[in-house]
Amino acid sequence: MQVYEHAEALRTTGAGITVWSNGTAALRELGVDIEPHGRPLRSLRSLTDSGRLLWEADLDEVTERLGSPTVQIPRRKLIAEMAAVLPSERLHFGRRCVSVTEHSDHVVVEFADGSTATGDLLIGADGQRSVVRHQVLGGEPAKPTGWASWQGLTRSDLPVAYGNQTLNIAGRNAHCGLIPTGDGLLHWWFDMPWQEGDRVHTVAELREHFRGWPAPVEGLLASVTDDDLGFFPHIRHKVPQVWGGARSTLLGDAVHAMPPAVAQAANQTLEDAWLLTQYLGHVDGAPADLLRAYERERRPRALKVSRTALFTSAQRKTPIQRLAVFPKWLATHSQVVSLRSGSNVLRALTPPRPGMSMA
């Protein structure tokens, strides 16, 4: 397997990522343990913008019931830990895909620098603006949902940065969250309606908009600057029936980009990667059959999570309002939590095919 990356080096920017029980389970199955490098989350608390408690989930109980913890980790650390399990010679930077050509027995990828790569299979994991998706499937790009996030990852003296509790605060036309990320880092985000062409808010405008919200919102906004502020519009892809061609498939945002309302985009990507390895690493068969089987297995659950994220984003409500519901919701919508203990797919595993390579 060879990995070709658009960027010139591993990404060191970005905020934090909440890796839920399904994500940490998938990572463990793939040989990556992020617990020593992140902050375990033990409680999830949701308030209204007037300070009234909506609900609270004991994540320790979720960990016990599902068998894997919830961990908050800086994006750069997660990327570094995943990259560390690959031999360095398999990572190729500065290689932006511009063309994909599938043949009966191989696939060829052309890069912007004029170089090419040939393999038995191509896995397009190139994000919401996926060139692989466009080349193989065509179709429309991801569409904006009408909301956006202003977020950052900063060192903070606020007590919430040193605890193990996620705090979500929901208003009628805005939403914010604060998540401890380890080493005194606090991941914070503010969601508001936003349309293409609208001006992007500054920290001063966020301070005005969120004036009077429950502590520690105003204290946080008083401590950050525009240099700390990241911005991204929420988008959603239509999840296609088929995710690739005879020698290709997709995973992650390339196939099911979704708004962050249920914090599952990265976790669904990890589940994609886990399930795909089950098919390609242990099941014998024609490449196209293996890829379509992976897609048939993943699509129903990824589609449900994507629809839940869109509904939650539009309604500014959460489907996970009670502890009793949360583990069941996560397990039901998670491939790795529900399947890793045994399934028709896993029981049918046979030795891997020799000689298969992936571009």
Side-chain angles (χ1 to χ4, degrees):
M1 181 183 72
Q2 302 294 319
V3 179
Y4 298 92
E5 166 61 37
H6 179 179
E8 297 296 331
L10 288 179
R11 181 176 175 181
T12 59
T13 58
I17 292 180
T18 304
V19 187
W20 295 93
S21 295
N22 58 323
T24 53
L27 283 170
R28 283 178 174 175
E29 296 283 329
L30 294 169
V32 180
D33 182 9
I34 64 169
E35 284 189 75
H37 308 284
R39 188 78 168 181
L41 298 179
R42 299 195 168 95
S43 176
L44 176 59
R45 186 175 178 85
S46 181
L47 307 175
T48 68
D49 57 358
S50 65
R52 177 173 61 87
L53 177 66
L54 286 173
W55 52 274
E56 187 167 356
D58 181 346
L59 296 182
D60 280 339
E61 185 168 340
V62 175
T63 295
E64 182 177 351
R65 291 172 64 177
L66 299 186
S68 296
T70 297
V71 176
Q72 180 73 10
I73 187 170
R75 179 182 292 271
R76 61 179 180 272
K77 284 190 177 182
L78 175 60
I79 292 173
E81 290 305 309
M82 291 191 295
V85 302
L86 288 175
S88 59
E89 65 270 16
R90 294 191 179 185
L91 288 168
H92 307 273
F93 295 101
R95 309 291 284 277
R96 179 169 63 86
C97 173
V98 295
S99 177
V100 175
T101 305
E102 294 184 89
H103 301 272
S104 60
D105 59 351
H106 68 283
V107 59
V108 178
V109 178
E110 182 179 345
F111 302 103
D113 63 3
S115 63
T116 62
T118 300
D120 292 318
L121 300 175
L122 171 65
I123 312 303
D126 49 343
Q128 60 172 286
R129 299 179 182 86
S130 172
V131 173
V132 176
R133 176 177 175 140
H134 179 72
Q135 288 274 308
V136 175
L137 300 180
E140 298 180 351
K143 294 183 177 180
T145 68
W147 283 74
S149 292
W150 288 258
Q151 68 169 6
L153 179 67
T154 56
R155 296 201 176 276
S156 176
D157 294 328
L158 295 170
V160 66
Y162 297 88
N164 301 91
Q165 181 181 77
T166 290
L167 178 62
N168 290 347
I169 306 174
R172 183 178 298 274
N173 291 304
H175 199 180
C176 76
L178 301 93
I179 314 176
T181 312
D183 298 326
L185 292 171
L186 185 65
H187 177 200
W188 44 269
W189 46 269
F190 297 87
D191 289 357
M192 288 190 291
W194 186 85
Q195 299 290 338
E196 190 72 34
D198 288 354
R199 188 168 52 83
V200 176
H201 291 303
T202 64
V203 169
E205 290 169 327
L206 293 178
R207 289 169 184 158
E208 184 62 30
H209 192 94
F210 289 90
R211 187 182 304 279
W213 277 49
V217 173
E218 290 186 288
L220 167 68
L221 286 171
S223 70
V224 301
T225 70
D226 287 340
D227 290 339
D228 301 316
L229 197 59
F231 168 78
F232 71 93
H234 298 179
I235 51 87
R236 180 179 182 265
H237 254 141
K238 180 179 179 181
V239 183
Q241 288 284 344
V242 176
W243 295 3
R247 293 274 168 174
S248 64
T249 192
L250 304 169
L251 62 78
D253 282 355
V255 66
H256 49 60
M258 64 187 73
V262 291
Q264 273 291 310
N267 293 275
Q268 292 301 304
T269 299
L270 295 173
E271 293 216 30
D272 291 346
W274 172 79
L275 188 65
L276 188 55
T277 62
Q278 306 306 306
Y279 280 99
L280 299 184
H282 300 280
V283 183
D284 196 12
D289 294 339
L290 299 178
L291 299 179
R292 301 297 85 82
Y294 149 72
E295 294 163 10
R296 286 193 298 271
E297 188 85 20
R298 274 297 294 147
R299 185 180 185 274
R301 299 196 195 213
L303 181 60
K304 287 179 181 178
V305 174
S306 177
R307 286 174 172 170
T308 300
L310 183 65
F311 173 80
T312 304
S313 178
Q315 300 296 319
R316 308 316 299 166
K317 296 178 181 179
T318 174
I320 318 164
Q321 293 195 357
R322 299 188 309 276
L323 173 61
V325 174
F326 183 43
K328 182 178 180 181
W329 183 90
L330 190 57
T332 300
H333 289 73
S334 167
Q335 215 92 35
V336 63
V337 169
S338 61
L339 295 186
R340 64 178 173 160
S341 60
S343 71
N344 291 334
V345 174
L346 301 186
R347 284 196 293 269
L349 299 183
T350 57
R353 298 180 64 204
M356 182 176 288
S357 65
M358 287 181 282

